[in-house]
Amino acid sequence: MNPDSSSAAGTFEQVFGAPPQGVWAAPGRVNLIGEHTDYNAGFVMPLALPHATVAAVSRRDDGVLALASDGMPGGPAELRTDTLAPGVRPDWTAYPAGVVWALREAGHTVGGACVSVTSTVPAGAGLSSSAALEVATALALNDLYALGLTREELATLCRRAENAYVGVPSGIMDQMASACCTAGHVLHLDTRDLIRRQVPFDLAAAGLRLLVIDTRVTHDLADGGYAERRAACTEAAAALGAGSLREIPHEGLADALGRLPDARLRRAARHVVTENRRVERVVELLDAGRPRDIGPVLDAGHVSLRDDFRVSCPELDLATGAARAAGALGARMTGGGFGGSALALVEAASAETVGRAVTGAFAAAGYRTPRVFEAVASAGARRLDAGVPG
Ligand code: ADP
Ligand code: MG
């Protein structure tokens, strides 16, 4: 599972016939709490997974971007950097090509590159393989072209690549998580201004574990469900005369709900406003050294996503319900929803029992076998090899 610089370099050499100039890694993430808040200028709390996307990269100055992934069949795709345009290639290459496009649009010199990608982040599981791919590419180009961009600037450009080039209207959480998380911490991020704090998150020391349950139900954030939820949030904020739902304080929620014209907008507003409060509550509890007590807050987050925001699905409800029934301290869906992954906070001693209970419940329901693994807060994006000076 750990990203391996030499095997990524070996794969690059097989594809491109020479060793890479460097190897970079960017992790997937799981969001502890703060869901569907990042496009409402609200709070999120992701941690980086040990699973990462590794990009072995060499610079080339002939205007060609050559892209290969061990997860994708066929030889490298070759694109010309000066003809990159949104919507031209609606396949996986749009993610790294979009990064090059966004960098060039922002006025940075990126002539070309050979990129070979290997990854241990499951794609489409709500664990942000897309941001891992973008951020690994961006960090490599930042070093190889000596662009001098900060992690925040790289994350912002990667988000632009995903929004404008790939065409997925996601918020900034995934890219900031992959670029800025640090080992042993969960990232408390204010998506309004990107102010952030690394909150210590050493569950093992407290005798706890965080389990991720990948339901293996594939979601598609580009489909209507996500866009429809975003639209409801925008409409609700506008109806309240606010720039975003972030501006509605928790104390003012009852008043705000009374001013909204229909149930759809009320449900959207109630989820976002209460979810922002839940993030603050989890930060308070972690700072107070009470990690067990975040369990009920995670549970409440799931109920809000299921009943108000309506982005859960039977597999996510079963995963969280079975985990709780088997002794989890709290469980919630994580990521955009409509499939993807759930997480469960468990006593270390009951981790196996909970994992078995969830797997058994899926088998009994006739669902695909879920993938259950532990999320240990890991490092954010980084260069893996000593390599040439960047
Ligand atoms: P998530 O980010 O939750 O994993 P997305 O739908 O946002 O799901 O992104 C998944 C897409 O990202 C894949 O369908 C593929 O196009 C691209 N992708 C992610 N990882 C890789 C990889 N290692 N190689 C090629 N494409 C990848
Ligand atoms: Mg994604």
Side-chain angles (χ1 to χ4, degrees), residues 95 128-131 162 174 219 221:
Y95 294 89
S128 206
S129 68
S130 58
E162 184 149 340
D174 297 353
H219 64 130
L221 289 188

Side-chain angles (χ1 to χ4, degrees), residues 22-121:
V23 181
W24 290 261
R29 62 94 190 99
V30 66
N31 190 25
L32 184 62
I33 189 86
E35 217 63 78
H36 288 275
T37 49
D38 69 342
Y39 54 82
N40 290 296
F43 299 106
V44 295
M45 245 185 135
L47 52 132
L49 293 172
H51 307 66
T53 295
V54 178
V57 185
S58 283
R59 172 178 168 156
R60 57 193 280 179
D61 294 297
D62 60 355
V64 172
L65 179 64
L67 301 167
S69 167
D70 70 346
M72 297 292 159
E78 294 210 347
L79 292 73
R80 288 210 55 84
T81 54
D82 55 2
T83 60
L84 296 177
V88 171
R89 286 187 78 95
D91 62 15
W92 78 271
T93 61
Y95 294 89
V99 171
V100 172
W101 171 82
L103 284 166
R104 287 170 60 90
E105 282 270 303
H108 302 293
T109 303
V110 179
C114 291
V115 181
S116 163
V117 174
T118 57
S119 184
T120 55
V121 187

Side-chain angles (χ1 to χ4, degrees), residues 231-248:
C233 292
T234 308
E235 281 175 53
L240 294 168
S244 72
L245 288 176
R246 155 64 180 276
E247 294 169 21
I248 311 303

Side-chain angles (χ1 to χ4, degrees), residues 211-381:
L211 299 182
V212 175
I213 303 151
D214 172 7
T215 64
R216 303 174 75 198
V217 178
T218 311
H219 64 130
D220 183 358
L221 289 188
D223 78 4
Y226 187 82
E228 196 276 327
R229 300 310 185 281
R230 280 193 72 131
C233 292
T234 308
E235 281 175 53
L240 294 168
S244 72
L245 288 176
R246 155 64 180 276
E247 294 169 21
I248 311 303
H250 192 249
E251 311 77 65
L253 179 60
D255 169 66
L257 294 178
R259 288 159 52 213
L260 285 171
D262 69 62
R264 183 178 66 100
L265 301 191
R266 282 194 290 276
R267 287 197 312 265
R270 187 163 52 214
H271 169 69
V272 173
V273 174
T274 59
E275 185 77 351
N276 278 327
R277 178 69 198 115
R278 281 186 285 274
V279 175
E280 295 306 286
R281 185 69 192 133
V282 166
V283 172
E284 288 163 14
L285 290 167
L286 291 179
D287 282 342
R290 295 167 55 195
R292 274 179 181 73
D293 293 340
I294 72 174
V297 189
L298 303 181
D299 289 343
H302 186 79
V303 170
S304 182
L305 288 161
R306 185 191 64 199
D307 297 347
D308 270 344
F309 220 59
R310 305 193 177 180
V311 291
S312 189
C313 64
E315 292 86 352
L316 288 168
D317 291 340
L318 183 64
T320 50
R324 269 184 229 108
L329 300 167
R332 61 180 285 271
M333 56 155 281
T334 182
F338 310 111
S341 297
L343 51 79
L345 180 71
V346 300
E347 299 287 353
S350 60
E352 273 186 31
T353 311
V354 171
R356 267 202 305 274
V358 171
T359 306
F362 270 53
Y367 295 157
R368 281 182 81 185
T369 307
R371 203 180 292 138
V372 183
F373 61 89
E374 185 181 357
V376 178
S378 301

